[in-house]
Every structure is written in C-alpha cells, then in structure tokens.
Amino acid sequence: QVQLVESGGGLVQPGGSLRLSCAVSENIFSFYFMGWYRQAPGKQRELVAAITSGDSTNYADSVKGRFTISRDNAKNTVHLQMNSLKPEDTAVYYCNAISAISKSWGQGTQVTVSS
C-alpha cells in the first residue's frame, strides 16, 4: 500500500502562511496526479490544488494567487505553500496520489486560521 504522510499544519492568524508537506512511500514520478484536498466540518471534501507528472497545476478558484503546489521528486514529497490565509481556509488538508493502479490518501493535517 502506498503511504502518504502530511505535515506542516497548525494554527495561524489570518494573513499568515503555512507550508504543508506530503511525504510519499514511493517515487512520486509513479503518480500521474498528486493533489491537496481539504474538508471542513459539515462540508464535502474539495480539491484545493493539483499537480501532474508533467508539472501542470490547477487550483480551486478560492485559493488561486494564494496557494502554490509543487513537487520534489528527489525527496518524494509534494508541498502546498499557503499564503494570505483566511479563516475560510480552516480545514483538514489531505494529500492524494493517483497512479495507474492505485488511489491513495494521507491521514490529513489540521489547518486552523483564526485570530
């Protein structure tokens, strides 16, 4: 089973920044899609940002211009840099990886944006 481990969440004030990391147990070039999702209490899980094996990226409209997804193939890690955070960004953030034969999720990391 592919293992994904998120880290970097925490409590931050509005306008602040956090950098999330997702460490993957396999070479990330095996995955044609890697993404960050988030889920707030009582809401559906939503795609926040995605990156393909070709480094094409997509972002939810709500985070465009504020969040940046990137990958470090040498370290088998994908990152989500989150700037100008807003209270509505508060959620559990999950890493997701899709290969030809699997779809895997991490355990999630809590991000709380509050003053």
Side-chain angles (χ1 to χ4, degrees), residues 41-62:
K43 300 183 68 176
Q44 294 184 338
R45 188 172 297 186
E46 64 174 343
L47 178 64
V48 176
I51 188 167
T52 69
S53 59
D55 287 335
S56 177
T57 58
N58 283 298
Y59 298 92
D61 288 342
S62 60

Side-chain angles (χ1 to χ4, degrees), residues 56-77:
S56 177
T57 58
N58 283 298
Y59 298 92
D61 288 342
S62 60
V63 307
K64 285 182 179 177
R66 300 188 297 121
F67 291 11
T68 303
I69 189 170
S70 62
R71 63 197 301 161
D72 186 338
N73 291 333
K75 296 183 178 181
N76 292 329
T77 302

Side-chain angles (χ1 to χ4, degrees), residues 89-109:
D89 296 318
T90 295
V92 178
Y93 284 70
Y94 298 90
C95 186
N96 168 247
I98 302 174
S99 72
I101 61 172
S102 67
K103 182 177 182 179
S104 303
W105 293 93
Q107 83 288 350
T109 185

